Amino acid sequence: MTSSAFSRRSLLGLGAAAGAGLLGGSLTACNGGPSGGDGTFSFLTWDAASGSPLANVATKWAEQAGTQLDLQNVPGGDDFEAKLRTVLASGAPPELIRINDDYVKGYYAEGSLLDLKPYLEKDGIKDADYYSVAFNFAKQPDGAHAAWPIMTNPGVIYVNVDAFEEAGIDLPSTDWAADGWTWDDFLAAAKELNRPGERHGCLVFPDTALETVFPTSNGGDGIYSKDGTRFTLAEDQGIEAIQWVADLALKHKVHPDFATITAGENTPNWQQSQLGTGKVGMMLALTSSVPWLRENATVNWDIRPVPKQVSRTTVNTMTVLAIPKESKNPDQAWEFLKYCVGEQASADFAKSRGFIPVSKSAGGLFEPDDKAPENLPVAIDALEHAVNENFSEYIQQARGVYRPVLDDVWSGKRTAAEALGSVRDQVNAILAGEG
């Protein structure tokens, strides 16, 4: 994610799966007004322009339900977050909302989201039928189920197969449980793949996926402790992991420098294009990058597990829907949620090959076809080795403090120990509710 409060990975949403280049584009709503009090069903979301998978699924459901759909499509980023806060405070919110998974805990803590547990129990929804890293994500300390993920996209390593062949080195194993493919192996491969002025050996985008994958693989908790009370990114395993990634560029020169990434990140699909056009040999990214690469890559590419240090752990991110506590028609919103994880919707979502429906039965839809990636099951297997970013209800405030100092690490102005240490106490105070 970028330094903004909103998740960069959330912008690689379902609109991107349609290959529509929606990031930063103009999005429109079907109808005006904050709620469906006139008999329509209102759904506030982002990246769901006409023709995108999410818009198609919503439209099909509305047709089958015999209701008029009010698809309120707002540009992603801070615009969406501002709109969401406004409608939730209005007393007349939409029937259903898409919500940034990072902020579910905070919105529930402030009383904005409906507890879905009674619906789950009434309809006999069994967690064993869903990928646990997604199903259990929305569970709150008080036992409530605050939201419903409809798709997941974990982090994997994208490999430029042509570059590996040119360098004469073997591709990593596709087995998440295999020995080997360590951080040292990743660095060694990056050095072999590196061609100064032509191709960088690797690209690890400076976002919160990085801040989760490498610290947890290094034996730490991630950005925060599992109970959300400590800023563990600023503890030993986190500091070591962040510095290791920074040194890919600063010390080993196998990674684009920070200035190049900063210049590129405002261009839609810039990260994917680096791999797809052969400018990097490997890339850490979410499976949401698959659809763009399937349509636009000019090199042969595939996916592999993330490299191992203490463990081999990746990040899991999700497309999450929730029912506002003051929704005028929560029962109908629940019916839509169930439809989104059902057989028909799962098949529609899986067509992208980049967004994995949360039902385990949908895993069979991820069979390789005549397009890359050849080893598509690597994405499904990732879910057994994935963790969610350990969220706090104070995540927005915490990010506003620690993420800017990471810029100094990537650019080499300060070490990870110096930069993260400078804000450790402040972030810990925020997590304690004292910020």
Side-chain angles (χ1 to χ4, degrees):
M1 299 177 197
T2 62
S3 299
S4 70
F6 201 80
S7 162
R8 175 185 168 273
R9 58 179 162 77
S10 298
L11 298 182
L12 290 171
L14 294 174
L22 296 176
L23 303 189
S26 175
L27 306 179
T28 58
C30 296
N31 297 290
S35 72
D38 58 356
T40 63
F41 180 85
S42 53
F43 174 28
L44 178 66
T45 183
W46 75 88
D47 282 359
S50 178
S52 70
L54 184 54
N56 288 343
V57 164
T59 300
K60 287 181 181 180
W61 169 80
E63 290 173 350
Q64 293 180 23
T67 191
Q68 183 179 352
L69 177 67
D70 175 11
L71 185 63
Q72 300 175 10
N73 201 356
V74 177
D78 293 336
D79 287 346
F80 180 84
E81 199 63 32
K83 173 69 173 179
L84 179 58
R85 289 202 169 275
T86 298
V87 298
L88 289 177
S90 70
E95 273 67 65
L96 186 71
I97 57 174
R98 182 175 175 185
I99 187 169
N100 187 326
D101 54 355
D102 298 347
Y103 303 148
V104 168
K105 188 169 185 177
Y107 276 116
Y108 177 76
E110 70 184 29
S112 296
L113 305 181
L114 186 70
D115 178 12
L116 303 181
K117 186 177 180 179
Y119 287 102
L120 292 165
E121 293 177 343
K122 175 177 67 72
D123 285 344
I125 302 296
K126 300 177 181 178
D127 58 358
D129 294 332
Y130 300 87
Y131 294 112
S132 60
V133 72
F135 185 88
N136 293 321
F137 145 78
K139 290 183 178 178
Q140 302 300 307
D142 64 359
H145 213 98
W148 186 251
I150 60 172
M151 273 180 303
T152 176
N153 48 310
V156 295
I157 294 294
Y158 290 77
V159 292
N160 178 341
V161 175
D162 291 340
F164 271 79
E165 291 180 353
E166 177 193 326
I169 55 176
D170 293 334
L171 288 163
S173 170
T174 60
D175 184 357
W176 283 83
D179 292 331
W181 191 226
T182 65
W183 285 12
D184 288 343
D185 295 329
F186 180 90
L187 176 58
K191 289 179 177 179
E192 292 291 332
L193 295 167
N194 206 55
R195 299 285 185 272
E198 177 186 344
R199 180 177 68 226
H200 286 99
C202 61
L203 172 60
V204 180
F205 206 91
D207 58 16
T208 55
L210 174 167
E211 295 161 21
T212 301
V213 170
F214 286 91
T216 56
S217 293
N218 199 34
D221 279 359
I223 303 172
Y224 314 107
S225 58
K226 290 184 175 65
D227 62 7
T229 63
R230 297 194 337 270
F231 181 43
T232 50
L233 192 66
E235 297 179 6
D236 288 346
Q237 294 101 327
I239 288 171
E240 183 180 28
I242 293 297
Q243 191 63 57
W244 188 87
V245 173
D247 284 346
L248 293 172
L250 300 173
K251 179 179 178 181
H252 303 295
K253 310 298 182 184
V254 295
H255 188 283
D257 61 41
F258 179 80
T260 299
I261 294 173
T262 299
E265 66 181 346
N266 292 321
T267 301
N269 301 307
W270 178 85
Q271 180 184 6
Q272 293 86 343
S273 71
Q274 300 305 293
L275 190 287
T277 59
K279 294 179 181 178
V280 299
M282 300 180 291
M283 174 181 74
L284 171 66
L286 304 175
T287 55
S288 53
S289 292
V290 166
W292 189 92
L293 288 167
R294 281 167 66 89
E295 296 300 322
N296 298 282
T298 57
V299 300
N300 294 315
W301 62 279
D302 207 345
I303 57 175
R304 291 294 190 273
V306 301
K308 175 182 179 180
Q309 185 72 339
V310 176
S311 67
R312 194 186 314 281
T313 308
T314 193
V315 68
N316 178 61
T317 68
M318 292 155 288
T319 301
V320 179
L321 306 184
I323 302 176
K325 196 167 187 178
E326 296 186 13
S327 171
K328 299 299 187 294
N329 198 339
D331 291 348
Q332 190 175 38
W334 172 248
E335 291 303 315
F336 179 44
L337 289 180
K338 286 197 299 182
Y339 178 84
C340 284
V341 298
E343 183 176 350
Q344 182 175 348
S346 292
D348 287 340
F349 290 142
K351 289 177 183 177
S352 73
R353 294 298 197 274
F355 298 87
I356 305 170
V358 295
S359 171
K360 289 182 179 178
S361 63
L365 299 170
F366 274 69
E367 292 294 327
D369 55 16
D370 59 350
K371 289 186 176 182
E374 179 180 351
N375 290 283
L376 191 60
V378 167
I380 299 295
D381 294 343
L383 296 176
E384 299 300 324
H385 299 266
V387 296
N388 298 317
E389 292 175 10
N390 39 6
F391 306 120
S392 161
E393 62 186 277
Y394 305 110
I395 192 170
Q396 288 176 284
Q397 300 97 308
R399 281 185 182 166
V401 172
Y402 89 81
R403 299 225 70 243
V405 306
L406 285 176
D407 291 351
D408 287 347
V409 182
W410 309 134
S411 61
K413 293 179 180 178
R414 287 193 284 178
T415 67
E418 292 167 342
L420 291 169
S422 71
V423 296
R424 182 190 297 117
D425 291 346
Q426 186 179 358
V427 175
N428 281 331
I430 290 171
L431 297 179
E434 300 170 358

